[in-house]
Amino acid sequence: MKYAIVIPDGCADEPQPALGGKTPLQAAHKPNMDRIAAMGVVGRSNNVPASLTPASDVATLSLFGYDPLEVYTGRAPLEAAAMGLTLGPNDWAIRCNLVTVDNGEMRDFTAGHIASAEGKALLESLNATLGGSDALDENLRGTARLEFHAGVSYRNLLIYRSKEPAPFSAATKTQPPHDIPDRPIADSLPQGPGGPLLQALLLKSRDILRNHPVNKARQARGERPATQIWLWGQGRAPHLQPFKENHGKQGAIISAVDLVRGVGVLLGWKRIDVAGATGYLDTDYAAKGQAGVAALSNNDLVCVHVEAPDEASHEGKPDAKVKALEEIDRHIVGPLLDALPAYGQWRILVSPDHRTPLRTRAHAHGSVPFVLAGTGIQPHGQTSYDELEGAKSPLAFDPGYALMAYFMEFASRGA
């Protein structure tokens, strides 16, 4: 039995005036997703519990069959796993965005989608000045140190390593920068245990980055500078039961985003990196689709994640979101759907992790539509895959993590 999962990140949305009252899923030309609907079923799942922040970390865990209320410890530890960073019992990982703040407002949570090489140079300067223990309170310097690690583009990490319990806790409150677009940052600064330390680091980063050669060069080219760091998504190392122990199948993950890669790594899946995969609208969709088809030959389950629809929502671009969905359908869903039957028994699932409405440009709670088809799935008479069909369907999973057991039920029978 072969399984394929395609995640068009954040694609679930609302009707858009710019799209004639249609959602991006309804407006997109997506014959392959609609073909899956006709062959199988459209339903909905609620992947984010009301008590947790709607984001890909929580939602991806749900989508892969894990109860986030039991296993979620924070976003950054998942990314640390993708970067090969091991966390000790008292260590905390903290997401470290490079952002553009202008006039006290979050102007760009990506710092103009800064290049990875530029981001690395900035992180090296931060590490040279704030790394180690010098930036810590004198009471902490003998027991803890800070490490800045460059990731992909604006997505980086701060690791707080400590011999003793860290100053953070579940009561530490931080805000994702993509949820406050063009809004004042003053009300969204870190609060609670460890909040003063994180706020101090945000302020110190401004002085380090203000006149950095990378930012000077970006400004000369008319590009947005990385004016400071933004710290959020903190947590300790999670403990996840391997996916193979739950379902008896070996998986592989294809993504350009460390968060999603990290979840896959922690589940015991093989990580497959694809040249040209950027985690943005310009990603190489065809290369990801080809990698997914090739990975079917030596993996039971292949998951292809695409960040582009989510990025389009964060930028408030309905046309770009439609185009991203059409590229995913043509270059990823289509090739996988055509390749799977050659393996005999098979199933395919297409589902976003969470909602990202273009209206708010931020992640949101609420159910998302999914579509799946394959061996043992009886068609429900649906002909299109979109939010309306999902809302009408009697097939619903709340909590959302139950969907994976339904999708993998043949695996539990030894197929």
Side-chain angles (χ1 to χ4, degrees):
M1 186 79 167
K2 295 287 184 178
Y3 299 84
I5 301 173
V6 179
I7 305 176
D9 197 298
C11 78
D13 212 315
E14 305 165 344
Q16 303 297 310
L19 300 177
K22 296 180 179 180
T23 70
L25 268 175
Q26 291 173 321
H29 177 64
K30 51 182 197 325
N32 295 299
M33 296 184 200
D34 291 342
R35 182 156 55 115
I36 297 174
M39 297 168 59
V41 296
V42 179
R44 63 189 182 279
S45 63
N46 186 2
N47 295 331
V48 182
S51 61
L52 297 177
T53 300
S56 291
D57 45 12
V58 173
T60 300
L61 287 167
S62 282
L63 189 54
F64 291 166
Y66 292 78
D67 182 355
L69 292 175
E70 293 185 0
V71 302
Y72 178 69
T73 65
R75 180 189 189 103
L78 304 175
E79 298 180 336
M83 295 170 67
L85 300 173
T86 301
L87 299 180
N90 294 317
D91 297 345
W92 283 67
I94 306 161
R95 175 68 175 270
C96 179
N97 272 50
L98 292 169
V99 302
T100 303
V101 174
D102 178 42
N103 196 30
E105 296 181 341
M106 183 62 66
R107 197 66 62 220
D108 191 337
F109 72 91
T110 74
H113 285 280
I114 191 167
S116 295
E118 293 176 310
K120 183 178 180 180
L122 296 179
L123 266 288
E124 288 173 348
S125 294
L126 290 168
N127 215 30
T129 305
L130 301 178
S133 60
D134 288 346
L136 298 173
D137 182 275
E138 61 182 10
N139 296 323
L140 298 173
R141 289 176 187 167
T143 63
R145 71 179 191 274
L146 302 175
E147 299 173 0
F148 289 85
H149 294 270
V152 177
S153 184
Y154 61 90
R155 310 175 183 97
N156 308 284
L157 287 182
L158 168 63
I159 305 297
Y160 181 99
R161 297 204 183 275
S162 181
K163 299 176 183 177
E164 300 178 357
F168 313 108
S169 75
T172 304
K173 302 299 181 184
T174 59
Q175 183 76 11
H178 49 256
D179 285 350
I180 52 173
D182 295 321
R183 301 175 198 168
I185 67 170
D187 295 334
S188 299
L189 296 171
Q191 302 292 330
L197 168 61
L198 299 182
Q199 287 197 34
L201 293 172
L202 298 185
L203 290 173
K204 291 176 181 178
S205 73
R206 296 176 184 176
D207 293 333
I208 298 169
L209 301 183
R210 182 176 294 114
N211 295 311
H212 196 284
V214 165
N215 278 328
K216 290 293 186 182
R218 289 182 62 80
Q219 290 173 306
R221 297 193 300 267
E223 298 172 343
R224 284 177 168 168
T227 62
Q228 68 175 75
I229 60 173
W230 189 264
L231 300 172
W232 63 287
Q234 67 285 343
R236 291 181 291 182
H239 300 284
L240 301 178
Q241 186 172 355
F243 188 86
K244 192 170 184 178
E245 291 183 14
N246 288 344
H247 300 289
K249 299 295 181 180
Q250 176 60 44
I253 183 71
I254 298 172
S255 175
V257 177
D258 276 338
L259 164 65
V260 180
R261 290 170 175 165
V263 175
V265 168
L266 289 170
L267 300 190
W269 289 0
K270 178 182 178 182
R271 169 178 164 172
I272 300 175
D273 294 339
V274 177
T278 65
Y280 188 53
L281 296 167
D282 61 354
T283 197
D284 192 333
Y285 299 90
K288 295 184 82 168
Q290 292 163 9
V293 170
L296 286 172
S297 64
N298 53 7
N299 294 280
D300 304 313
L301 179 151
V302 175
C303 177
V304 183
H305 166 266
V306 186
E307 182 75 2
D310 192 61
E311 294 288 341
S313 273
H314 287 313
E315 296 185 4
K317 298 178 178 178
D319 289 345
K321 192 166 187 178
V322 169
K323 184 176 186 298
L325 286 167
E326 292 177 343
E327 295 292 309
I328 292 168
D329 185 83
R330 177 184 177 187
H331 294 295
I332 299 174
V333 176
L336 284 169
L337 185 57
D338 290 340
L340 281 165
Y343 292 96
Q345 294 183 325
W346 60 276
R347 284 188 178 180
I348 187 169
L349 166 68
V350 179
S351 176
D353 44 0
H354 54 71
R355 298 174 62 245
T356 310
L358 283 153
R359 175 178 55 83
T360 62
R361 295 167 55 192
H363 298 163
H365 285 96
S367 294
V368 297
F370 67 80
V371 62
L372 66 87
T375 306
I377 301 296
Q378 297 300 315
H380 282 198
Q382 297 148 308
T383 58
S384 66
Y385 168 53
D386 55 54
E387 295 86 352
L388 180 60
E389 289 298 324
K392 294 189 302 184
S393 174
L395 187 61
F397 296 91
D398 190 357
Y401 66 82
L403 170 60
M404 181 56 68
Y406 178 85
F407 178 60
M408 297 292 294
E409 65 175 342
F410 265 55
S412 66
R413 302 179 199 170

